[in-house]
Structure formats: C-alpha cells, structure tokens
C-alpha cells in the first residue's frame, strides 16, 4: 500500500474466525501491520521466500464487507457464524473457575501443562456424552475414552487429520456447498476437493458412489483419501444428513477402500444445537469397530467458542499418529479450559446450557423463517426458496437465477445501503475444478443478532432484493 504504510490492518472484530476462512477465495497474499506504520524506505529490500503451501494461503474478499460493517454501526450482520452473546456462560464459568483455582491442588493441576491427547477426566466425560447422544451403552461400542483426542477447536483437528492422511494432489470428496473454512484449508494444502450434490437429506449417496466409481474406472482411486461431511445442520445450508444415508455412505466408502482406507470425517459441530425432534445418530453407530469414521465435535457452538476446545472420536488406526502430530504442534490444548469443561459436564452445567441455547436459537430461527416468509418469499414466489433447518445457526437462501449475490453484484451494494449483510454464497463452495459456482445464494445466520435484529435484517434484505428484482425485470409470478 502506498503513502508510507506497509500492509493493511484489517479489523476482524465481530466477524469471527470465519473471516480467516473466507480469505480462502482470493489468491492474494497480504501483510498485516498491527498498528505500526513502516515507511516504505524502511522496508527490508529482501523478501521472505514463501513455501508453496504458504503461497497458497489466500486473502478474503470479505475484507471489503468487514470494512463496510465497521464503517456502519447500524448495519445488521446476518453474516457471522458467531454464537449468541447474551447466552454465553459467564457466570457458570466464573463459579467453576473459582472452585478450581481456590483449591491449591486442583489449581496446580489445571495451570500446569496437560496431556497431548487431552485430560483423562474430560475424555471420560466426553465419552459418556457421546454414548448418551447415540443412545448406546458403553458396552455396545468397541471404542473407549482412549479414542478421544481433545484439540484447540475442532478446526485444529480437521487440520491435523488432513495433515496426517493427505499428500499434495490427493482427493477429498466433500459436499456442494460445504464448510468453506475447511475446504479452503484443503485447497491450500494442495488437495483436490471434489464435491457431491446435496438435497434436503444431505449428501446424495448415489452421487458419491458415482464419483468414486469414476476414480476407480480411470485408475485413480488411490488418490482419494477422505470424504468430508458436516452432518448436522450444515454450515452453510442448515441441512442435516438423513440418518438412513449414514450406513449407506459408510458402505460405499468401505467398498472403494481398496488399497487403503478412505477416511470419513463426520464434522458434527452443530450436533447439540438441535431444536426439537431427535437428532440422528452419528455414523459411528455403524462404524462399531472404530475403523473409518472420525467424529468431530466442539464446545464452540453448544457452550462457548472462547474455550476453543474441540474433540474427536478417532479411528483406532489413526489415533497414535494424530497424537504425535499434535505433540509436534502444541503438545496439548489449554489445560485450564479442559478442567473447566470437564467440571461443567460433571455438574450438568453443560447440559443445562445446551437446553437454554436451543430454546433461544429456536426462537431466532423461527423469527428468521417467518420474516423470510413475510418480506422475501412474496417477491418472486416461484423462484425464491430457503432451507428450514432443524438446528444450527444458518438458513440458505436461493434467489432467482441470474441474481448475483456476490460482492460486485448490485444486490450487495443495495444490501449495504439498506444496512444488512449476509455471506454471499459463492464463498461457501469448494474449489472443485469440475464445477461452476452458482451466484444466486446467500448464507444467513441468526447466531449473533437479537430476534428483533433478525427480523429487521430480513426486512432490509427484502427491500434490497425487491429493488434488484425490479431493476432486473424479475416480476412477481
Ligand atoms: C462446520 C464447522 N466445523 C468446524 C468448525 C470449527 O469450530 P471450532 O474450531 O471453534 O470448534 C466450525 C466453525 O464455525 C464449523 O462451522
């Protein structure tokens, strides 16, 4: 950047970790100056030589969007995947922290380094939690708490698993769209991300089968190392993978696991956030011998992202390698956080909190759906649709074909003018070389805004859409 400054400091406040992820779409390296201003003349003349992986780190087109959000404090963000502020468990955390830090022995244990794989106490609690969610007794599954690895958010676990099984050029099959933070990481690692269509029941098993068959037919099956799916209330669509598809997908993956096993990552980040009805069992129920499926969960969504603690039930074959990998990274995630979380689970605080969260989010989800019905649907009844999630934080909106929701489209500018933002759908698709990304989608989140803001945000969105539809000549039908 000219004018005496080197680099740009982008303010990410209020947008959260996804900001980093959304960098994954623009292939520009950017420098950060963290408040210092370096004169051009002071710049070192030599540059660092980035590795090929480093060069594939990418910038975010959303930086523009963030800057706009910061410029306009009245703007309602339906973009961020952050959780509800009001329900964060501050008091509960304080109580537990006081008890831990007030007891010399416990305090010493919690403030010391912990185990690379995670605290034994927390892993025991997590295993009980897993069995409870599945409705299974511990005896019905051949695994144990020893198969659990605790991580610095489930994002770290995703990254480590990819690091462990993927070489450059290997293929990962995901869904279309998918959790773009991870698919962006995969692309930056040099993997080829292919994608399978979803419908209201999630990933279509027959499409997965077809894709694997085509790799086999061309003698390239050995390149396929992983199938990645977000099975509950998917980010970005809110869609849940139907329970009956889970054993089917597992069998397909087994069928094509010829010279090596293909790893299934079942990312269940939003599992606990199920609002009414019973959430489906995880794929682990069918992977009884703990062979193919890494089931990943997190405290970020059902409790508090500030703990940045995730965990996974890892296939037996991978567990030692994964612990070694983690050892080389950080030899263990925050021990204090794990002590607090284990206590929160033991005391029932976690469970109570999930119930409270679900009630609050269900209200906000309903408010968003009602507002869409009122302010957006009637604008082009046969050409606008949205998902009806049974949980999670997201609704996926489809506008008439040809309406570009991207940052250079008319709608984006109009939304800013009206004072609302969502995530343009183009950022939510993997870089699948064989596909063209649709431009008429928007991810809407009801995580951080209040119920009133959700309604007002959708009203403003409706006004912006109405304006663009009129300009484009898309009449009400
Ligand atoms: C589908 C999905 N998986 C994983 C994560 C990572 O969350 P964390 O690292 O905070 O556990 C997120 C965060 O938004 C997510 O949406």
């Amino acid at each position: 950047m000219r004018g005496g400054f080197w680099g740009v400091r982008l303010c990410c406040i209020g947008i959260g970790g996804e900001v980093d992820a959304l960098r994954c779409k623009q292939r520009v390296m950017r420098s950060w100056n963290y408040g210092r201003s370096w004169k051009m003349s002071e710049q070192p003349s030599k540059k660092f030589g980035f590795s090929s992986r480093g060069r594939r780190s990418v910038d975010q087109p959303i930086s523009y969007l963030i800057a706009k959000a910061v410029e306009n404090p009245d703007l309602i963000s339906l973009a961020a995947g952050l959780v509800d502020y009001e329900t964060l468990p501050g008091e509960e955390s304080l109580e537990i922290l006081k008890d831990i830090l007030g007891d010399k022995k416990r305090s010493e244990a919690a403030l010391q380094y912990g185990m690379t794989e995670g605290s034994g106490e927390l892993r025991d609690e997590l295993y009980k939690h897993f069995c409870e969610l599945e409705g299974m007794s511990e005896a019905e599954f051949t695994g144990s708490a020893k198969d659990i690895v605790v991580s610095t958010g489930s994002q770290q676990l995703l990254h480590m698993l990819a690091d462990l099984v993927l070489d450059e050029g290997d293929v990962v099959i995901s869904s279309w769209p998918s959790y773009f933070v991870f698919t962006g990481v995969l692309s930056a690692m040099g993997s080829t991300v292919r994608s399978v269509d979803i419908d209201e029941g999630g990933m279509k098993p027959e499409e997965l089968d077809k894709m694997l068959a085509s790799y086999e037919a061309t003698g390239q099956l050995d390149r396929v190392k992983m199938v990645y799916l977000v099975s509950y209330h998917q980010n970005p669509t809110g869609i849940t993978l139907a329970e009956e598809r889970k054993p089917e997908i597992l069998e397909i993956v087994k069928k094509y696991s010829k010279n090596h096993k293909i790893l299934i990552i079942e990312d269940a980040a939003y599992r606990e956030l199920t609002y009414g009805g019973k959430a489906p069992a995880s794929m682990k129920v069918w992977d009884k011998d703990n062979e193919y499926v890494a089931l990943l969960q997190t405290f970020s969504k059902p409790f508090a992202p500030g703990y940045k603690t995730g965990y996974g039930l890892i296939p037996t074959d991978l567990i030692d390698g994964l612990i070694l990998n983690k050892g080389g990274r950080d030899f263990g995630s925050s021990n204090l956080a794990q002590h607090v979380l284990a206590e929160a689970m033991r005391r029932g605080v976690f469970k109570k909190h999930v119930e409270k969260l679900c009630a609050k989010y269900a209200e906000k989800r309903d408010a968003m759906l009602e507002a869409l019905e009122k302010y957006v649907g009637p604008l082009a009844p046969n050409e606008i649709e949205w998902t009806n999630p049974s949980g999670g934080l997201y609704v996926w909106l489809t506008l008439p074909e040809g309406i570009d929701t991207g940052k250079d489209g008319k709608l984006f500018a109009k939304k800013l003018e009206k004072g609302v933002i969502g995530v343009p759908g183009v950022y939510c698709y993997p870089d699948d070389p064989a596909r063209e990304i649709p431009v008429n989608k928007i991810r809407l989140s009801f995580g951080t805004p209040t119920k009133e803001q959700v309604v007002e945000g959708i009203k403003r969105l409706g006004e912006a859409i109405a304006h663009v539809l009129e300009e484009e000549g898309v009449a009400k039908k």
Side-chain angles (χ1 to χ4, degrees):
M1 199 175 178
R2 302 278 150 193
F5 291 91
W6 183 60
V8 174
R9 167 118 167 91
L10 293 174
C11 178
C12 303
I13 294 162
I15 306 289
E18 289 194 350
V19 166
D20 296 330
L22 288 162
R23 287 192 194 119
C24 295
K25 291 284 165 185
Q26 203 177 29
R27 313 228 169 255
V28 185
M29 291 294 303
R30 210 181 266 256
S31 317
W32 302 68
N33 100 17
Y34 298 101
R36 277 178 299 177
S37 50
W38 289 25
K39 296 240 166 63
M40 290 299 275
S41 57
E42 293 168 2
Q43 278 186 52
S45 56
K46 285 181 193 152
K47 293 194 170 159
F48 290 109
F50 284 99
S51 66
S52 51
R53 268 189 190 187
R55 279 196 300 278
R56 280 195 296 259
S57 299
V58 284
D59 195 20
Q60 44 163 332
I62 200 178
S63 55
Y64 169 77
L65 188 150
I66 299 159
K68 291 290 170 194
V70 171
E71 262 171 36
N72 178 3
D74 293 331
L75 186 122
I76 294 175
S77 174
L78 304 176
L82 303 187
V83 304
D84 186 78
Y85 281 101
E86 282 174 19
T87 43
L88 286 168
E91 280 171 29
E92 296 89 330
S93 297
L94 184 62
E95 281 291 301
I96 295 173
L97 264 170
K98 269 199 225 156
D99 289 347
I100 291 175
L101 299 180
D103 175 325
K104 189 165 184 308
K105 233 176 151 180
R106 290 183 80 191
S107 166
E108 281 173 5
L111 293 174
Q112 188 52 273
Y113 279 122
M115 309 270 283
T116 302
E117 59 270 38
S119 108
E121 284 178 21
L122 179 59
R123 288 156 79 219
D124 285 344
E125 290 300 322
L126 290 172
Y127 197 70
K128 276 189 233 156
H129 178 56
F130 158 73
C131 290
E132 200 181 318
L133 286 174
E134 306 298 3
M136 282 172 24
S137 72
E138 296 189 24
E140 283 174 276
F141 185 70
T142 55
S144 73
K146 290 196 173 70
D147 300 314
I148 291 180
V149 172
V150 178
S151 56
T152 305
S154 52
Q155 186 67 32
Q156 186 191 44
L157 213 38
L158 287 168
H159 207 150
M160 288 193 301
L161 285 168
D163 205 25
L164 203 59
V165 304
L166 298 173
D167 282 314
E168 282 206 17
D170 281 346
V171 173
V172 178
I173 302 178
S174 183
S175 61
W176 182 256
S178 185
Y179 171 47
F180 42 92
V181 183
F182 185 47
T183 57
V185 166
L186 293 169
S187 297
M189 289 174 88
S191 311
T192 299
V193 186
R194 300 300 315 282
S195 48
V196 166
D197 281 329
I198 58 172
D199 60 16
E200 65 284 355
M203 184 183 272
K204 294 180 179 174
E206 65 281 8
E207 298 286 323
L208 175 65
D209 195 323
K210 249 196 254 164
M211 184 171 283
L212 285 162
S214 73
Y215 275 98
E216 185 172 37
T218 54
Q220 296 188 76
L221 191 57
D222 284 351
R223 287 178 61 207
V224 182
K225 297 282 179 62
M226 184 189 283
V227 171
Y228 170 66
L229 27 87
V230 181
S231 52
Y232 298 87
H233 326 299
Q234 189 215 32
N235 181 0
T237 62
I239 286 173
T240 293
L241 180 64
E243 186 167 299
E244 63 274 15
R245 291 191 184 179
K246 295 190 174 189
E248 243 185 289
I249 288 175
L250 178 60
E251 284 313 308
I252 291 167
V253 165
K254 280 186 181 174
K255 181 170 84 178
Y256 290 99
S257 289
K258 304 243 159 119
N259 293 330
H260 61 78
K261 280 194 223 165
I262 298 171
L263 173 67
I264 300 177
I265 297 189
E266 177 172 9
D267 181 342
Y270 299 89
R271 183 175 192 178
E272 288 94 343
L273 299 184
T274 298
Y275 319 137
K278 195 180 169 313
S282 82
M283 249 189 231
K284 272 283 168 219
V285 166
W286 292 274
D287 185 34
K288 280 205 165 32
D289 292 328
N290 198 22
E291 283 193 285
Y292 286 87
V293 180
L295 174 69
L296 271 49
Q297 294 188 201
T298 179
F299 284 96
S300 291
K301 309 297 175 183
F303 201 61
Y307 286 106
K308 199 61 194 164
T309 302
Y311 53 97
L313 198 51
I314 306 298
T316 313
D317 266 10
L318 286 181
I319 193 109
D320 290 344
L322 191 72
I323 294 169
L324 286 178
N325 187 297
K326 187 159 170 62
R329 283 169 193 260
D330 60 10
F331 42 90
S333 298
S334 163
N335 197 20
L336 178 60
Q338 292 181 59
H339 275 74
V340 174
L341 293 169
E343 192 60 33
M345 295 195 97
R346 243 190 324 257
R347 291 185 186 182
V349 167
F350 172 77
K351 204 167 174 184
K352 228 165 111 192
H353 189 73
V354 170
E355 281 164 18
K356 181 165 132 189
L357 270 187
C358 286
K360 181 90 187 276
Y361 282 134
E363 262 187 35
K364 294 206 283 183
R365 176 212 44 193
D366 292 346
M368 183 172 273
L369 295 175
E370 276 165 32
L372 282 164
E373 201 71 64
K374 184 167 173 191
Y375 298 115
V376 177
L379 300 173
N382 300 317
E383 295 177 83
I384 296 183
E385 56 186 41
W386 54 88
T387 53
N388 185 354
S390 54
L393 302 176
Y394 312 106
V395 172
W396 186 240
L397 177 66
T398 302
L399 296 181
E401 286 216 9
I403 300 297
D404 182 357
T405 65
K407 108 178 191 324
D408 298 321
K410 284 181 194 162
L411 180 62
F412 192 82
K414 204 67 199 170
K415 280 194 322 194
L416 283 178
E417 191 189 308
K418 296 281 178 192
V420 64
I421 45 171
V423 174
V426 286
Y427 304 139
C428 305
Y429 289 87
D431 274 336
D432 183 332
R435 292 240 190 179
E436 201 168 316
I437 295 176
V439 298
N440 58 332
K441 316 272 182 178
I442 305 178
R443 190 195 77 175
L444 300 168
S445 169
F446 48 86
T448 43
T450 62
K451 195 169 141 188
E452 292 68 33
Q453 286 170 329
V454 166
V455 175
E456 177 59 25
I458 297 294
K459 184 164 173 266
R460 293 179 189 181
L461 177 65
E463 288 164 7
I465 295 171
H467 181 92
V468 173
L469 290 182
E470 203 170 318
E471 266 194 16
E472 299 293 315
V474 180
K476 284 188 192 182
K477 286 180 190 159

